[in-house]
Amino acid sequence: MSTACILITGGARGIGLAVARTVIGLGHRCVLLDADGDALAASLASLGDLARGEVVDIADTSSIEKGLGVAVGDWAPTHLVNNAGVLGRKMGFDEMDAIEIDRVLSVNLRGLLLVTSAFLKARRPHADAAIVNMASIAGFNGGAPGLSVYGATKGAVLALTRAMARDLAPAIRVNAIAPGIIETDMQRGVFASEAAMNEVVAAIPQKRLGSPADVAEAAGWLLFGAPYTTGETIRVSGGRI
Ligand code: NAI
């Protein structure tokens, strides 16, 4: 297999960083795009020579246009992991805030589309080319109470995965991962207390939260080990649906 270069959004921490570690472990390059410059610098310092990155806000079209070229340089990407996402503020259906709705849509949905489009223009063809979209089990179950906008964007990612798989075949396989509850900065803010977290864990068939490495394991398989799989979504949720 020739050396690949994986473009990863939201690669500075959490699941995106774990995916970067996995692909580097397989000997591939990765280019990280993240809106958080401090976290990105710290992560790049820990990843070594096979990683580069640039501060890019995927909600901002001009930031993607400017940042992607700088980040990639002569490392044309062969694979893409659309991972960056935001949970958004909790809102009931009777208290929807237009600015907050737009913020979540602009990262989780519009940003994913714009980055995919930019990747398709910048990419280097590769025998094993693939895209992995980070969805969520919220895309199936609607999301936690108050997080319906997030759930709706993730449901859209499931639909987009099928559409992208159809339109980009046979050159590029496109699959999604639907993580359950994974221990990251995003997730830490969700539980009101340790007791609330323990109650949720008790309802997970595997009786534990997931780790970013659990999700990265599935991403590595979808990127490099699933030659006849496209348009699919894999739950990585310890059995939670
Ligand atoms: P995280 O919040 O720990 O990390 C997300 C990274 O994305 C951060 O480094 C952040 O700076 C970056 N980011 C956010 N907005 C951005 C933007 N506009 N432009 C560029 N970078 C941006 O999140 P985590 O938990 O690692 O989640 C990664 C993906 O997995 C997200 O799409 C999330 O929705 C999804 N997911 C996470 C679950 C969990 O339990 N942690 C469960 C299901 C899905």
Side-chain angles (χ1 to χ4, degrees):
M1 185 170 41
S2 65
T3 302
C5 177
I6 297 82
L7 183 65
I8 305 173
T9 64
R13 63 162 67 73
I15 293 170
L17 179 58
V19 174
R21 289 194 199 292
T22 294
V23 300
I24 287 173
L26 293 170
H28 302 301
R29 291 171 168 167
C30 63
V31 175
L32 313 183
L33 305 182
D34 203 290
D36 183 338
D38 290 344
L40 181 63
S43 297
L44 287 173
S46 76
L47 289 171
D49 293 346
L50 287 175
R52 354 173 123 152
E54 193 65 29
V55 177
V56 167
D57 176 359
I58 69 162
D60 176 349
T61 318
S62 66
S63 177
I64 297 171
E65 279 167 8
K66 282 188 214 134
L68 184 73
V70 175
V72 162
D74 57 353
W75 287 11
T78 56
H79 294 62
L80 169 65
V81 180
N82 277 313
N83 166 77
V86 291
L87 206 49
R89 181 163 59 77
K90 283 196 174 181
M91 295 183 288
F93 283 105
D94 57 351
E95 52 179 3
M96 284 290 164
D97 176 79
I99 292 172
E100 186 63 358
I101 294 170
D102 285 349
R103 187 176 77 88
V104 177
L105 292 176
S106 71
V107 180
N108 297 6
L109 191 50
R110 199 184 61 159
L112 181 147
L113 286 164
L114 293 175
V115 169
T116 301
S117 184
F119 162 78
L120 291 172
K121 289 176 196 120
R123 83 184 185 99
R124 170 169 57 89
H126 188 277
D128 219 12
I131 296 175
V132 172
N133 295 325
M134 215 49 79
S136 167
I137 56 166
F140 294 108
N141 66 27
L147 294 173
S148 54
V149 180
Y150 175 80
T153 62
K154 295 303 185 178
V157 172
L158 301 179
L160 277 176
T161 300
R162 289 218 165 263
M164 288 162 68
R166 178 197 60 218
D167 289 2
L168 300 178
I172 308 175
R173 292 178 301 103
V174 185
N175 293 290
I177 295 174
I181 307 177
I182 310 300
E183 279 192 280
T184 66
D185 290 349
M186 175 187 280
Q187 198 48 245
R188 274 183 264 282
V190 171
F191 297 111
S193 64
E194 202 175 325
M197 186 185 80
N198 291 340
E199 201 176 309
V200 170
V201 170
I204 299 172
Q206 281 192 242
K207 303 294 175 206
R208 68 170 177 89
L209 299 180
S211 70
D214 290 326
V215 181
E217 184 79 27
W221 180 71
L222 288 173
L223 288 169
F224 300 110
Y228 201 51
T229 299
T230 193
E232 293 301 325
T233 298
I234 296 187
R235 285 183 178 81
V236 179
S237 64
R240 188 179 162 92
I241 52 172

